[in-house]
Amino acid sequence: MHPTVQIFAALAAALHVAIFVMESVLWSKPAVWAKFGVASQNDADVTKPMAFNQGFYNLFLGIGIVVGLVMGGSAGDAIVYFACASIVGAAVVLAIGGAKYFRPAFVQGITPLIALVLAAIL
């Protein structure tokens, strides 16, 4: 795998680990849940179990990329590509939710998309 692809994949992994921390560890903090468009502490409390679960999805995708990068070879590359494609797919689904989700979908999906495009051309 080209080093530039590895860099963009690693950035995607780092972002998804950070999202995990926000959703699964720090969700009760107003500064955190407000970033996700949650309107009140009550709403944050109601959505906390969902955010907790969603955070772990993000963590597992990030771990997948890291494991693939560490493994290397064709098997490791396949894991990286699958995790990146999964993140891009999730970003598309998020964007379908409406205009207010375009920015977070872009933030979530741009680095793994760049990794996949570069992997196809380099």
Side-chain angles (χ1 to χ4, degrees):
M1 180 181 300
H2 193 278
T4 306
V5 175
Q6 293 176 329
I7 290 167
F8 280 99
L11 289 171
L15 174 63
H16 282 73
V17 171
I19 293 170
F20 157 74
V21 171
M22 289 187 286
E23 290 176 336
S24 297
V25 179
L26 302 175
W27 187 255
S28 296
K29 297 183 180 298
V32 172
W33 51 255
K35 289 179 190 271
F36 291 87
V38 176
S40 69
Q41 184 65 55
N42 184 61
D43 290 347
D45 293 341
V46 169
T47 59
K48 187 175 183 175
M50 182 201 63
F52 184 77
N53 181 268
Q54 188 170 305
F56 274 91
Y57 274 89
N58 286 302
L59 177 64
F60 298 147
L61 288 167
I63 288 172
I65 291 171
V66 171
V67 167
L69 290 172
V70 170
M71 279 179 58
S74 59
D77 292 355
I79 294 169
V80 171
Y81 299 147
F82 177 79
C84 285
S86 295
I87 294 169
V88 171
V92 169
V93 170
L94 182 59
I96 290 170
K100 72 179 185 177
Y101 298 113
F102 289 172
R103 183 177 179 277
F106 178 82
V107 169
Q108 172 181 319
I110 192 63
T111 53
L113 178 61
I114 292 170
L116 292 171
V117 169
L118 290 175
I121 62 174
L122 295 179

Short mmCIF file of all heavy atoms in Angstrom, two decimals, residues 11 15 30 40 50-51 53 59 71 73 96 99 105 109:
data_model
loop_
_atom_site.label_atom_id
_atom_site.label_comp_id
_atom_site.label_asym_id
_atom_site.label_seq_id
_atom_site.Cartn_x
_atom_site.Cartn_y
_atom_site.Cartn_z
N LEU A 11 -5.45 8.75 9.26
CA LEU A 11 -6.23 9.92 9.69
C LEU A 11 -7.68 9.55 9.92
O LEU A 11 -8.31 10.00 10.89
CB LEU A 11 -6.12 11.04 8.65
CG LEU A 11 -4.77 11.75 8.56
CD1 LEU A 11 -4.73 12.67 7.34
CD2 LEU A 11 -4.47 12.51 9.84
N LEU A 15 -9.62 9.86 13.55
CA LEU A 15 -10.88 10.57 13.70
C LEU A 15 -11.94 9.67 14.32
O LEU A 15 -12.67 10.08 15.22
CB LEU A 15 -11.38 11.09 12.35
CG LEU A 15 -12.77 11.74 12.38
CD1 LEU A 15 -12.77 12.98 13.27
CD2 LEU A 15 -13.24 12.05 10.98
N PRO A 30 -22.08 18.69 27.95
CA PRO A 30 -22.83 19.52 26.98
C PRO A 30 -22.02 19.93 25.76
O PRO A 30 -22.55 19.97 24.64
CB PRO A 30 -23.26 20.73 27.80
CG PRO A 30 -23.33 20.22 29.21
CD PRO A 30 -22.21 19.21 29.32
N SER A 40 -30.61 19.20 24.29
CA SER A 40 -30.72 19.40 25.73
C SER A 40 -30.06 18.25 26.49
O SER A 40 -29.81 17.19 25.93
CB SER A 40 -32.20 19.48 26.14
OG SER A 40 -32.82 18.21 25.98
N MET A 50 -27.65 4.87 22.81
CA MET A 50 -27.42 4.78 21.37
C MET A 50 -26.04 5.35 21.02
O MET A 50 -25.31 4.76 20.22
CB MET A 50 -28.49 5.55 20.60
CG MET A 50 -28.33 5.46 19.10
SD MET A 50 -29.15 6.76 18.20
CE MET A 50 -28.30 8.21 18.79
N ALA A 51 -25.70 6.49 21.60
CA ALA A 51 -24.39 7.10 21.34
C ALA A 51 -23.27 6.17 21.80
O ALA A 51 -22.24 6.04 21.11
CB ALA A 51 -24.29 8.45 22.03
N ASN A 53 -23.28 2.90 21.95
CA ASN A 53 -23.17 1.83 20.97
C ASN A 53 -22.54 2.33 19.68
O ASN A 53 -21.64 1.69 19.12
CB ASN A 53 -24.56 1.25 20.71
CG ASN A 53 -24.53 0.11 19.72
OD1 ASN A 53 -24.70 0.33 18.53
ND2 ASN A 53 -24.32 -1.09 20.21
N LEU A 59 -15.14 3.02 16.93
CA LEU A 59 -13.89 2.48 17.45
C LEU A 59 -13.45 1.24 16.67
O LEU A 59 -12.29 1.11 16.28
CB LEU A 59 -14.03 2.14 18.93
CG LEU A 59 -12.80 1.49 19.58
CD1 LEU A 59 -11.62 2.45 19.59
CD2 LEU A 59 -13.14 1.03 21.00
N MET A 71 -0.67 -5.07 10.05
CA MET A 71 -0.50 -6.38 9.39
C MET A 71 0.24 -6.25 8.07
O MET A 71 1.12 -7.04 7.76
CB MET A 71 -1.86 -7.03 9.11
CG MET A 71 -2.49 -7.72 10.27
SD MET A 71 -4.11 -8.41 9.82
CE MET A 71 -3.71 -9.49 8.48
N GLY A 73 0.68 -6.30 3.91
CA GLY A 73 0.42 -7.36 2.94
C GLY A 73 -0.99 -7.27 2.38
O GLY A 73 -1.76 -6.36 2.70
N ILE A 96 -27.61 11.34 3.49
CA ILE A 96 -28.98 11.14 3.01
C ILE A 96 -29.99 11.68 4.04
O ILE A 96 -31.10 12.04 3.68
CB ILE A 96 -29.23 9.64 2.71
CG1 ILE A 96 -28.44 9.22 1.48
CG2 ILE A 96 -30.71 9.35 2.52
CD1 ILE A 96 -28.42 7.73 1.23
N ALA A 99 -29.67 18.04 4.71
CA ALA A 99 -28.62 19.05 4.55
C ALA A 99 -27.85 19.31 5.84
O ALA A 99 -26.65 19.58 5.80
CB ALA A 99 -29.21 20.35 4.01
N ALA A 105 -21.04 14.43 7.54
CA ALA A 105 -20.81 13.33 6.60
C ALA A 105 -19.50 13.55 5.84
O ALA A 105 -18.71 12.62 5.64
CB ALA A 105 -21.98 13.20 5.63
N GLY A 109 -16.30 11.17 6.10
CA GLY A 109 -16.02 10.36 4.93
C GLY A 109 -14.88 10.79 4.04
O GLY A 109 -14.42 9.99 3.21
#
